Amino acid sequence: MWVAELRLRNPNRLQARVTLRQGLSKLFSAGQVEAVLAFFVGADGADYRVTFAAAEWALDGGRVVKSETPPKRYSFVVGPGEPGTTAAQRLFGLYEQRAARRFDDVREAFSVERLNKTFFDGYRTHHKNIVRSLATKAAMRVFGLEPPLDAEEMLTEAAYKPARDFVKRMMGRIVFLYFVQRKGWLGADPSAKPGEYVDGEKRYVRNVIAARGGANAYSGALAPLFFEVLNTDRSARGDVCSLSRRRVPYLNSGLFEPEGLRRRARMSPIEQHKQLELDEQVLMAFFDFLDEFNFTVDENSPDEGEVGVDPEMLGHIFENLLEDNRERGTFYTPKAVVEFMCKESVLRYLSRRLGERQELERLVRSHDVGNWNDDKNWVKKHAADIAEALTSVRVCDPAVGSGAFPMGMLNEIFWLRYSLRPVKEKELGALKKSIIQDNLCGVDLDKNAVEIARLRFWLSIIVDATTPEPLPNLEFRFLQGDSLVDLVGGHREWAQRHLPGVSMANDSDPQAELGLVETSGRASAYAREQRRIRELIASHFTMHGEPKAELAREIDAAEKAFVLNVLRHVTQDLEKMPKSARVKAQLDMTRRRIDRLTSAEDGDDRDYFPWLFYEDRQFDIVIANPPYISAIDHGKVYGEEARKALKETYASAKGAFDVYVCFFELACNQLVDGGVLTFISPNKYLSVDYAQALRDLIRERMKLSLVVDLSEPPRVSRRPVGLSQTVAA
């Protein structure tokens, strides 16, 4: 093992990581070392990174061979102000084992997975404790609920889900602020120049609670901090926080917008939160737990892991706290699988645009641009074309969950663009914002999952920002809705004729007669309103304060009015047709949809998704881990009416179909000609009877590019499939 101390002269964090990766790769590729324990001292000398890396070996045809891929690096960040509990325990454990220490003991000391499990187990325990602590008359009065006879009912009964959701949001907000205070942005010196954040407090949130006087820790400290400080533009007052007289940035974003705790409450959402008093002993125990960990502002990648709590870990934790995941057919996708699928998708997209080249494959897989001083360098000669393709790519995940795939695509596009044209550190945040706004979109039926996805993307922006700026609004980039149900339900032929940008799902749609009604003026009106709503959505991304809230309400109202108008026109056209059993069933279903939407209150979940507002052109890449729900479970959870609606909409929904079948067809309809479909799915569709129609769809409308079997242990028990569409839907 090679042991060294290296001092980094470049203060740019990303450049330092690139230098570290390249330096270690050269050492290993030259065969000079088998393992490295390196102490990288920062440019300011204040803190440093303890990094361990070792060559990987495997059996190949009876021979032991070294892996050609660069070794994964594991690091502790230590130094003044850094929580060092984990690093101290792990490294001291190695010292105690010195008499019988093995190489695997060193590797285990730097294990990120071990920390993941420790943090998740503790986080889940504190979540349960805080939920149980709400089982009081005073707390339940705020939620408009009767207290349970047994506090354990708070964890399982449907009536208390609002309380469980509140705890998840509150804990997520607290953890988010642990990352922000890690940046030194909370409690900064108020005498510094405007916009400068220096001498921030690394324990600011705890300090605010300690200074609250006799007020409750939540209602008197956290609620005002969340909703009256972080969600309020105080630039006219120098961003000074009234709770501490120190500088705290206005973060914007939906994360700190107060949600109502009960329906039809007379009090404002902020006042509701200020009425809610939490058990301080239970709440502060959660803070004690968080203080034991290092919160790293780098989202770990499969080839590099910092032994600390990172945003990707939080995504996994929050996803596991979502309720009814198994019933809804949602499963966690391992990080290595996400990275593999994202790289394959980008490589196929770029190859379609620029042709298949080894240099392009090396760029995507390793972010290796080659020798930039060589005039014959293919990547250099085509850098502008590659950059343009990356700037214009449109990616969608129609079952986004906690955002793993859009986050993976963000990282791939970000690093490729950075590799082609490194930008200054202060420009990194703007680069990520542009990718999120222009290239990514995600939809999920579960509102809580969508909130987690937005949280991860806000954290990803915080990671690379050098100074705090208001975060973008992601309400219309990652959205709640049923992506399988368009706003017209099963009337695809009607939508094809009258709504711009809607692709045909089935050329032999039995509802084709609906398109015979002459409505050219109606279609023109739809197109004008569609363009107006799209323009409103685009402008919402960077708005702040009350204008942002007003615009969001305007968009929601316009969307609802548009959908109701469409459904009423569908009803009028159906009423003009001969009253067959099918037409009567369609009329009943459409009228029920109108009734549900008319009676829906602000904030209610959508049971459809209006793709035409988010699909100004079709997508280049559709990537997902779609839900796997059998016919029996789908009927139990969503009802037979929902199942019938899918059969009306999707030609591949035959027999006892699993829901993931519909996602294949949805993705096919959403893709441009030659687009890339990359799914991880069960392999049953390759042989079961109900998937015959799906196999026909794949054969007729797609080109199968890659099938990778991940069914063998110890890897995951699903199979990612890459499909390239060759005929436009």
PDB file of all heavy atoms in Angstrom, residues 26 39 49 57-59 64 75 82 92 96 121 163 165 204 213 264 376 384 427 443 460 463 470 566 570 671 685 714:
ATOM      1  N   LYS A  26      -3.409   7.164 -13.040  1.00  0.00           N
ATOM      2  CA  LYS A  26      -2.081   6.964 -13.618  1.00  0.00           C
ATOM      3  C   LYS A  26      -1.254   6.005 -12.774  1.00  0.00           C
ATOM      4  O   LYS A  26      -0.551   5.133 -13.294  1.00  0.00           O
ATOM      5  CB  LYS A  26      -1.367   8.302 -13.758  1.00  0.00           C
ATOM      6  CG  LYS A  26      -1.924   9.197 -14.861  1.00  0.00           C
ATOM      7  CD  LYS A  26      -1.177  10.519 -14.935  1.00  0.00           C
ATOM      8  CE  LYS A  26      -1.737  11.403 -16.047  1.00  0.00           C
ATOM      9  NZ  LYS A  26      -1.045  12.717 -16.103  1.00  0.00           N
ATOM     10  N   PHE A  39      -3.539  11.408   1.987  1.00  0.00           N
ATOM     11  CA  PHE A  39      -4.049  12.542   2.758  1.00  0.00           C
ATOM     12  C   PHE A  39      -3.921  13.780   1.865  1.00  0.00           C
ATOM     13  O   PHE A  39      -2.818  14.275   1.629  1.00  0.00           O
ATOM     14  CB  PHE A  39      -3.253  12.715   4.052  1.00  0.00           C
ATOM     15  CG  PHE A  39      -3.391  11.562   4.994  1.00  0.00           C
ATOM     16  CD1 PHE A  39      -2.650  10.399   4.808  1.00  0.00           C
ATOM     17  CD2 PHE A  39      -4.270  11.618   6.068  1.00  0.00           C
ATOM     18  CE1 PHE A  39      -2.777   9.316   5.668  1.00  0.00           C
ATOM     19  CE2 PHE A  39      -4.398  10.540   6.936  1.00  0.00           C
ATOM     20  CZ  PHE A  39      -3.658   9.394   6.735  1.00  0.00           C
ATOM     21  N   ARG A  49      -8.740  15.598   3.169  1.00  0.00           N
ATOM     22  CA  ARG A  49      -9.493  14.416   2.763  1.00  0.00           C
ATOM     23  C   ARG A  49      -8.589  13.196   2.909  1.00  0.00           C
ATOM     24  O   ARG A  49      -7.479  13.177   2.374  1.00  0.00           O
ATOM     25  CB  ARG A  49      -9.945  14.596   1.316  1.00  0.00           C
ATOM     26  CG  ARG A  49     -10.740  13.454   0.721  1.00  0.00           C
ATOM     27  CD  ARG A  49     -11.082  13.775  -0.726  1.00  0.00           C
ATOM     28  NE  ARG A  49     -11.987  14.907  -0.819  1.00  0.00           N
ATOM     29  CZ  ARG A  49     -13.291  14.801  -1.030  1.00  0.00           C
ATOM     30  NH1 ARG A  49     -13.829  13.611  -1.178  1.00  0.00           N
ATOM     31  NH2 ARG A  49     -14.042  15.871  -1.105  1.00  0.00           N
ATOM     32  N   TRP A  57      -9.740  -6.978  -8.224  1.00  0.00           N
ATOM     33  CA  TRP A  57      -9.291  -8.219  -8.860  1.00  0.00           C
ATOM     34  C   TRP A  57     -10.484  -9.158  -9.015  1.00  0.00           C
ATOM     35  O   TRP A  57     -11.430  -9.122  -8.237  1.00  0.00           O
ATOM     36  CB  TRP A  57      -8.217  -8.907  -8.011  1.00  0.00           C
ATOM     37  CG  TRP A  57      -6.972  -8.084  -7.853  1.00  0.00           C
ATOM     38  CD1 TRP A  57      -6.757  -7.089  -6.952  1.00  0.00           C
ATOM     39  CD2 TRP A  57      -5.790  -8.178  -8.642  1.00  0.00           C
ATOM     40  NE1 TRP A  57      -5.507  -6.547  -7.118  1.00  0.00           N
ATOM     41  CE2 TRP A  57      -4.881  -7.204  -8.155  1.00  0.00           C
ATOM     42  CE3 TRP A  57      -5.395  -8.981  -9.716  1.00  0.00           C
ATOM     43  CZ2 TRP A  57      -3.624  -7.022  -8.691  1.00  0.00           C
ATOM     44  CZ3 TRP A  57      -4.133  -8.800 -10.252  1.00  0.00           C
ATOM     45  CH2 TRP A  57      -3.261  -7.826  -9.741  1.00  0.00           C
ATOM     46  N   ALA A  58     -10.456  -9.990 -10.047  1.00  0.00           N
ATOM     47  CA  ALA A  58     -11.556 -10.926 -10.274  1.00  0.00           C
ATOM     48  C   ALA A  58     -11.032 -12.151 -11.006  1.00  0.00           C
ATOM     49  O   ALA A  58      -9.950 -12.132 -11.612  1.00  0.00           O
ATOM     50  CB  ALA A  58     -12.661 -10.255 -11.094  1.00  0.00           C
ATOM     51  N   LEU A  59     -11.816 -13.245 -10.932  1.00  0.00           N
ATOM     52  CA  LEU A  59     -11.479 -14.474 -11.650  1.00  0.00           C
ATOM     53  C   LEU A  59     -11.991 -14.374 -13.078  1.00  0.00           C
ATOM     54  O   LEU A  59     -13.144 -14.012 -13.321  1.00  0.00           O
ATOM     55  CB  LEU A  59     -12.107 -15.686 -10.959  1.00  0.00           C
ATOM     56  CG  LEU A  59     -11.419 -16.185  -9.686  1.00  0.00           C
ATOM     57  CD1 LEU A  59     -12.264 -17.260  -9.024  1.00  0.00           C
ATOM     58  CD2 LEU A  59     -10.031 -16.730 -10.017  1.00  0.00           C
ATOM     59  N   VAL A  64      -6.620 -14.941 -12.186  1.00  0.00           N
ATOM     60  CA  VAL A  64      -6.893 -13.739 -11.410  1.00  0.00           C
ATOM     61  C   VAL A  64      -6.367 -12.546 -12.187  1.00  0.00           C
ATOM     62  O   VAL A  64      -5.171 -12.477 -12.493  1.00  0.00           O
ATOM     63  CB  VAL A  64      -6.225 -13.800 -10.015  1.00  0.00           C
ATOM     64  CG1 VAL A  64      -6.497 -12.517  -9.243  1.00  0.00           C
ATOM     65  CG2 VAL A  64      -6.732 -15.008  -9.240  1.00  0.00           C
ATOM     66  N   SER A  75     -13.518   8.273   0.814  1.00  0.00           N
ATOM     67  CA  SER A  75     -12.850   9.362   1.529  1.00  0.00           C
ATOM     68  C   SER A  75     -13.599   9.767   2.790  1.00  0.00           C
ATOM     69  O   SER A  75     -14.830   9.718   2.849  1.00  0.00           O
ATOM     70  CB  SER A  75     -12.717  10.601   0.629  1.00  0.00           C
ATOM     71  OG  SER A  75     -11.997  10.313  -0.550  1.00  0.00           O
ATOM     72  N   GLU A  82     -15.426  19.918  11.299  1.00  0.00           N
ATOM     73  CA  GLU A  82     -16.023  18.774  10.620  1.00  0.00           C
ATOM     74  C   GLU A  82     -16.416  17.714  11.649  1.00  0.00           C
ATOM     75  O   GLU A  82     -15.586  17.341  12.487  1.00  0.00           O
ATOM     76  CB  GLU A  82     -15.035  18.163   9.617  1.00  0.00           C
ATOM     77  CG  GLU A  82     -14.609  19.096   8.501  1.00  0.00           C
ATOM     78  CD  GLU A  82     -15.725  19.350   7.523  1.00  0.00           C
ATOM     79  OE1 GLU A  82     -16.751  18.642   7.571  1.00  0.00           O
ATOM     80  OE2 GLU A  82     -15.583  20.268   6.699  1.00  0.00           O
ATOM     81  N   PHE A  92      -9.752   4.577  14.448  1.00  0.00           N
ATOM     82  CA  PHE A  92      -9.248   4.052  15.719  1.00  0.00           C
ATOM     83  C   PHE A  92      -9.450   2.544  15.786  1.00  0.00           C
ATOM     84  O   PHE A  92      -8.626   1.811  16.348  1.00  0.00           O
ATOM     85  CB  PHE A  92      -9.959   4.725  16.895  1.00  0.00           C
ATOM     86  CG  PHE A  92      -9.390   4.331  18.234  1.00  0.00           C
ATOM     87  CD1 PHE A  92      -8.133   4.788  18.634  1.00  0.00           C
ATOM     88  CD2 PHE A  92     -10.090   3.494  19.088  1.00  0.00           C
ATOM     89  CE1 PHE A  92      -7.603   4.414  19.861  1.00  0.00           C
ATOM     90  CE2 PHE A  92      -9.568   3.120  20.313  1.00  0.00           C
ATOM     91  CZ  PHE A  92      -8.310   3.586  20.710  1.00  0.00           C
ATOM     92  N   GLU A  96      -6.693  -0.364  16.646  1.00  0.00           N
ATOM     93  CA  GLU A  96      -6.833  -1.433  17.637  1.00  0.00           C
ATOM     94  C   GLU A  96      -6.620  -2.814  17.016  1.00  0.00           C
ATOM     95  O   GLU A  96      -6.275  -3.760  17.719  1.00  0.00           O
ATOM     96  CB  GLU A  96      -8.216  -1.362  18.282  1.00  0.00           C
ATOM     97  CG  GLU A  96      -8.402  -0.153  19.204  1.00  0.00           C
ATOM     98  CD  GLU A  96      -9.742  -0.170  19.904  1.00  0.00           C
ATOM     99  OE1 GLU A  96     -10.740  -0.515  19.234  1.00  0.00           O
ATOM    100  OE2 GLU A  96      -9.798   0.139  21.105  1.00  0.00           O
ATOM    101  N   ASP A 121     -31.177   3.426   9.594  1.00  0.00           N
ATOM    102  CA  ASP A 121     -31.824   2.823  10.759  1.00  0.00           C
ATOM    103  C   ASP A 121     -32.134   3.875  11.819  1.00  0.00           C
ATOM    104  O   ASP A 121     -33.229   3.897  12.398  1.00  0.00           O
ATOM    105  CB  ASP A 121     -30.935   1.724  11.353  1.00  0.00           C
ATOM    106  CG  ASP A 121     -30.842   0.498  10.462  1.00  0.00           C
ATOM    107  OD1 ASP A 121     -31.668   0.374   9.544  1.00  0.00           O
ATOM    108  OD2 ASP A 121     -29.930  -0.328  10.681  1.00  0.00           O
ATOM    109  N   ALA A 163     -50.300  13.589   9.571  1.00  0.00           N
ATOM    110  CA  ALA A 163     -49.277  13.814  10.598  1.00  0.00           C
ATOM    111  C   ALA A 163     -47.961  13.172  10.196  1.00  0.00           C
ATOM    112  O   ALA A 163     -46.882  13.761  10.383  1.00  0.00           O
ATOM    113  CB  ALA A 163     -49.755  13.251  11.940  1.00  0.00           C
ATOM    114  N   ASP A 165     -46.961  12.619   7.131  1.00  0.00           N
ATOM    115  CA  ASP A 165     -46.415  13.424   6.031  1.00  0.00           C
ATOM    116  C   ASP A 165     -45.765  14.698   6.560  1.00  0.00           C
ATOM    117  O   ASP A 165     -44.717  15.129   6.060  1.00  0.00           O
ATOM    118  CB  ASP A 165     -47.518  13.777   5.035  1.00  0.00           C
ATOM    119  CG  ASP A 165     -47.971  12.581   4.209  1.00  0.00           C
ATOM    120  OD1 ASP A 165     -47.241  11.564   4.190  1.00  0.00           O
ATOM    121  OD2 ASP A 165     -49.045  12.660   3.591  1.00  0.00           O
ATOM    122  N   TYR A 204     -25.996  26.426  13.132  1.00  0.00           N
ATOM    123  CA  TYR A 204     -26.908  27.563  13.199  1.00  0.00           C
ATOM    124  C   TYR A 204     -28.317  27.150  13.634  1.00  0.00           C
ATOM    125  O   TYR A 204     -28.939  27.828  14.454  1.00  0.00           O
ATOM    126  CB  TYR A 204     -26.983  28.263  11.842  1.00  0.00           C
ATOM    127  CG  TYR A 204     -27.954  29.420  11.837  1.00  0.00           C
ATOM    128  CD1 TYR A 204     -27.607  30.635  12.416  1.00  0.00           C
ATOM    129  CD2 TYR A 204     -29.230  29.298  11.289  1.00  0.00           C
ATOM    130  CE1 TYR A 204     -28.491  31.699  12.441  1.00  0.00           C
ATOM    131  CE2 TYR A 204     -30.119  30.351  11.306  1.00  0.00           C
ATOM    132  CZ  TYR A 204     -29.746  31.552  11.884  1.00  0.00           C
ATOM    133  OH  TYR A 204     -30.632  32.599  11.915  1.00  0.00           O
ATOM    134  N   GLY A 213     -35.855  31.380  23.825  1.00  0.00           N
ATOM    135  CA  GLY A 213     -36.484  31.747  25.092  1.00  0.00           C
ATOM    136  C   GLY A 213     -37.380  30.623  25.579  1.00  0.00           C
ATOM    137  O   GLY A 213     -37.010  29.454  25.533  1.00  0.00           O
ATOM    138  N   ARG A 264     -59.663  23.091   5.023  1.00  0.00           N
ATOM    139  CA  ARG A 264     -60.683  24.093   5.326  1.00  0.00           C
ATOM    140  C   ARG A 264     -60.443  24.775   6.670  1.00  0.00           C
ATOM    141  O   ARG A 264     -61.379  25.101   7.403  1.00  0.00           O
ATOM    142  CB  ARG A 264     -62.081  23.467   5.294  1.00  0.00           C
ATOM    143  CG  ARG A 264     -62.397  22.759   3.973  1.00  0.00           C
ATOM    144  CD  ARG A 264     -63.785  22.123   3.992  1.00  0.00           C
ATOM    145  NE  ARG A 264     -64.008  21.337   2.795  1.00  0.00           N
ATOM    146  CZ  ARG A 264     -63.700  20.055   2.692  1.00  0.00           C
ATOM    147  NH1 ARG A 264     -63.162  19.416   3.714  1.00  0.00           N
ATOM    148  NH2 ARG A 264     -63.921  19.403   1.570  1.00  0.00           N
ATOM    149  N   LYS A 376      -5.734  16.737 -34.226  1.00  0.00           N
ATOM    150  CA  LYS A 376      -6.531  15.669 -34.818  1.00  0.00           C
ATOM    151  C   LYS A 376      -7.522  15.057 -33.816  1.00  0.00           C
ATOM    152  O   LYS A 376      -8.238  14.112 -34.170  1.00  0.00           O
ATOM    153  CB  LYS A 376      -5.603  14.579 -35.356  1.00  0.00           C
ATOM    154  CG  LYS A 376      -4.704  15.040 -36.492  1.00  0.00           C
ATOM    155  CD  LYS A 376      -3.832  13.901 -36.994  1.00  0.00           C
ATOM    156  CE  LYS A 376      -2.923  14.363 -38.142  1.00  0.00           C
ATOM    157  NZ  LYS A 376      -2.069  13.256 -38.632  1.00  0.00           N
ATOM    158  N   ALA A 384     -18.205  21.393 -30.368  1.00  0.00           N
ATOM    159  CA  ALA A 384     -19.375  22.268 -30.505  1.00  0.00           C
ATOM    160  C   ALA A 384     -20.627  21.455 -30.824  1.00  0.00           C
ATOM    161  O   ALA A 384     -21.714  21.727 -30.280  1.00  0.00           O
ATOM    162  CB  ALA A 384     -19.125  23.320 -31.586  1.00  0.00           C
ATOM    163  N   GLU A 427     -19.838  29.622 -11.781  1.00  0.00           N
ATOM    164  CA  GLU A 427     -20.798  29.397 -12.859  1.00  0.00           C
ATOM    165  C   GLU A 427     -21.411  27.998 -12.815  1.00  0.00           C
ATOM    166  O   GLU A 427     -22.291  27.683 -13.622  1.00  0.00           O
ATOM    167  CB  GLU A 427     -20.112  29.603 -14.211  1.00  0.00           C
ATOM    168  CG  GLU A 427     -19.561  31.013 -14.414  1.00  0.00           C
ATOM    169  CD  GLU A 427     -18.724  31.122 -15.679  1.00  0.00           C
ATOM    170  OE1 GLU A 427     -18.291  30.078 -16.197  1.00  0.00           O
ATOM    171  OE2 GLU A 427     -18.505  32.246 -16.143  1.00  0.00           O
ATOM    172  N   VAL A 443     -42.446  12.840 -13.767  1.00  0.00           N
ATOM    173  CA  VAL A 443     -43.826  12.770 -13.281  1.00  0.00           C
ATOM    174  C   VAL A 443     -43.962  11.547 -12.386  1.00  0.00           C
ATOM    175  O   VAL A 443     -43.363  10.502 -12.649  1.00  0.00           O
ATOM    176  CB  VAL A 443     -44.828  12.649 -14.453  1.00  0.00           C
ATOM    177  CG1 VAL A 443     -46.268  12.671 -13.943  1.00  0.00           C
ATOM    178  CG2 VAL A 443     -44.611  13.752 -15.473  1.00  0.00           C
ATOM    179  N   SER A 460     -28.628  19.485  -5.184  1.00  0.00           N
ATOM    180  CA  SER A 460     -27.594  19.408  -6.218  1.00  0.00           C
ATOM    181  C   SER A 460     -27.149  20.790  -6.658  1.00  0.00           C
ATOM    182  O   SER A 460     -25.994  20.988  -7.043  1.00  0.00           O
ATOM    183  CB  SER A 460     -28.098  18.604  -7.419  1.00  0.00           C
ATOM    184  OG  SER A 460     -28.994  19.355  -8.206  1.00  0.00           O
ATOM    185  N   VAL A 463     -24.934  22.258  -3.845  1.00  0.00           N
ATOM    186  CA  VAL A 463     -23.612  21.628  -3.845  1.00  0.00           C
ATOM    187  C   VAL A 463     -22.573  22.502  -4.543  1.00  0.00           C
ATOM    188  O   VAL A 463     -21.465  22.715  -4.038  1.00  0.00           O
ATOM    189  CB  VAL A 463     -23.692  20.248  -4.533  1.00  0.00           C
ATOM    190  CG1 VAL A 463     -22.312  19.783  -4.962  1.00  0.00           C
ATOM    191  CG2 VAL A 463     -24.313  19.217  -3.616  1.00  0.00           C
ATOM    192  N   PRO A 470     -31.481  32.637  -4.664  1.00  0.00           N
ATOM    193  CA  PRO A 470     -32.794  31.984  -4.600  1.00  0.00           C
ATOM    194  C   PRO A 470     -32.827  30.759  -5.508  1.00  0.00           C
ATOM    195  O   PRO A 470     -32.397  30.803  -6.660  1.00  0.00           O
ATOM    196  CB  PRO A 470     -33.752  33.081  -5.086  1.00  0.00           C
ATOM    197  CG  PRO A 470     -33.050  34.361  -4.781  1.00  0.00           C
ATOM    198  CD  PRO A 470     -31.594  34.077  -4.986  1.00  0.00           C
ATOM    199  N   VAL A 566     -61.922  20.574 -22.360  1.00  0.00           N
ATOM    200  CA  VAL A 566     -61.702  19.441 -23.258  1.00  0.00           C
ATOM    201  C   VAL A 566     -62.673  18.309 -22.943  1.00  0.00           C
ATOM    202  O   VAL A 566     -63.310  17.734 -23.839  1.00  0.00           O
ATOM    203  CB  VAL A 566     -60.239  18.957 -23.155  1.00  0.00           C
ATOM    204  CG1 VAL A 566     -60.085  17.594 -23.823  1.00  0.00           C
ATOM    205  CG2 VAL A 566     -59.293  19.954 -23.796  1.00  0.00           C
ATOM    206  N   VAL A 570     -65.488  16.584 -25.294  1.00  0.00           N
ATOM    207  CA  VAL A 570     -65.544  15.141 -25.545  1.00  0.00           C
ATOM    208  C   VAL A 570     -66.953  14.632 -25.260  1.00  0.00           C
ATOM    209  O   VAL A 570     -67.526  13.848 -26.033  1.00  0.00           O
ATOM    210  CB  VAL A 570     -64.515  14.399 -24.675  1.00  0.00           C
ATOM    211  CG1 VAL A 570     -64.748  12.894 -24.751  1.00  0.00           C
ATOM    212  CG2 VAL A 570     -63.101  14.716 -25.118  1.00  0.00           C
ATOM    213  N   LEU A 671     -41.526   9.377 -27.587  1.00  0.00           N
ATOM    214  CA  LEU A 671     -40.187   9.527 -28.148  1.00  0.00           C
ATOM    215  C   LEU A 671     -40.204  10.073 -29.571  1.00  0.00           C
ATOM    216  O   LEU A 671     -41.110   9.790 -30.354  1.00  0.00           O
ATOM    217  CB  LEU A 671     -39.467   8.172 -28.159  1.00  0.00           C
ATOM    218  CG  LEU A 671     -38.889   7.700 -26.823  1.00  0.00           C
ATOM    219  CD1 LEU A 671     -38.485   6.239 -26.926  1.00  0.00           C
ATOM    220  CD2 LEU A 671     -37.687   8.546 -26.429  1.00  0.00           C
ATOM    221  N   TYR A 685     -41.993 -10.094 -19.524  1.00  0.00           N
ATOM    222  CA  TYR A 685     -42.631  -9.684 -20.779  1.00  0.00           C
ATOM    223  C   TYR A 685     -42.021 -10.385 -21.991  1.00  0.00           C
ATOM    224  O   TYR A 685     -42.599 -10.381 -23.085  1.00  0.00           O
ATOM    225  CB  TYR A 685     -42.540  -8.166 -20.951  1.00  0.00           C
ATOM    226  CG  TYR A 685     -41.199  -7.652 -21.394  1.00  0.00           C
ATOM    227  CD1 TYR A 685     -40.894  -7.508 -22.742  1.00  0.00           C
ATOM    228  CD2 TYR A 685     -40.218  -7.325 -20.460  1.00  0.00           C
ATOM    229  CE1 TYR A 685     -39.656  -7.044 -23.150  1.00  0.00           C
ATOM    230  CE2 TYR A 685     -38.986  -6.865 -20.864  1.00  0.00           C
ATOM    231  CZ  TYR A 685     -38.705  -6.722 -22.208  1.00  0.00           C
ATOM    232  OH  TYR A 685     -37.481  -6.274 -22.610  1.00  0.00           O
ATOM    233  N   PRO A 714     -24.934 -11.337  -6.699  1.00  0.00           N
ATOM    234  CA  PRO A 714     -25.522 -10.463  -5.689  1.00  0.00           C
ATOM    235  C   PRO A 714     -26.084  -9.180  -6.247  1.00  0.00           C
ATOM    236  O   PRO A 714     -26.310  -8.237  -5.510  1.00  0.00           O
ATOM    237  CB  PRO A 714     -24.311 -10.169  -4.781  1.00  0.00           C
ATOM    238  CG  PRO A 714     -23.155 -10.152  -5.757  1.00  0.00           C
ATOM    239  CD  PRO A 714     -23.483 -11.192  -6.800  1.00  0.00           C
TER     240      PRO A 714
END
